Amino acid sequence: MEDTSQEGILNVHFFSTNYSVPEHRGGMNLKRTQKNMEFSTMIKSIFEKVILLKNYSWSQIDIHICVVENDGSMKSAAINAACLALVDAGIALKELVISINAGFLLG
């Protein structure tokens, strides 16, 4: 008998270049690597909930995000870009994912 409960696999790889922000210039460091891993895990948990992985049994979906320049709002931009890429690729989603940043200035 075939296993019909098999769902597709989602892999997320997030990384930023050494020159993306001034404090990263000068090579790799452990703190930045850990932040990238945490962000990869967060993005994976977000998209595992909205991608219809059951439609892609015996398949693998890879999301690769490379930050070339970070002037702020990097996380929101990465989440929005990943969602738009999935839609463009024709991947079935339960709903669209959007992310925003907001600030409040006094004065």
Side-chain angles (χ1 to χ4, degrees):
M1 247 196 220
E2 266 186 47
D3 182 15
T4 57
S5 66
Q6 180 70 25
E7 288 190 346
I9 298 170
L10 177 65
N11 293 321
V12 176
H13 182 68
F14 175 85
F15 59 98
S16 56
T17 58
N18 289 338
Y19 51 85
S20 62
V21 291
E23 63 264 15
H24 290 168
R25 294 185 181 131
M28 289 292 286
N29 62 29
L30 185 59
K31 185 176 180 182
R32 183 173 62 134
T33 304
Q34 288 174 339
K35 283 185 178 183
N36 288 349
M37 292 295 290
E38 289 172 8
F39 192 55
S40 291
T41 304
M42 182 186 76
I43 289 181
K44 183 176 181 176
S45 69
I46 290 169
F47 285 104
E48 278 179 333
K49 295 173 185 164
V50 296
I51 296 174
L52 296 171
L53 290 171
K54 63 182 178 191
N55 292 356
Y56 302 100
S57 60
W58 303 104
S59 299
Q60 177 175 309
I61 298 171
D62 294 323
I63 299 174
H64 295 273
I65 300 170
C66 175
V67 176
V68 177
E69 186 171 340
N70 180 6
D71 291 333
S73 302
M74 173 194 65
K75 291 181 181 179
S76 291
I79 290 169
N80 291 333
C83 183
L84 289 174
L86 290 169
V87 169
D88 186 55
I91 302 296
L93 304 173
K94 294 177 189 173
E95 55 196 25
L96 294 177
V97 176
I98 61 167
S99 179
I100 63 169
N101 284 340
F104 181 72
L105 297 174
L106 294 174

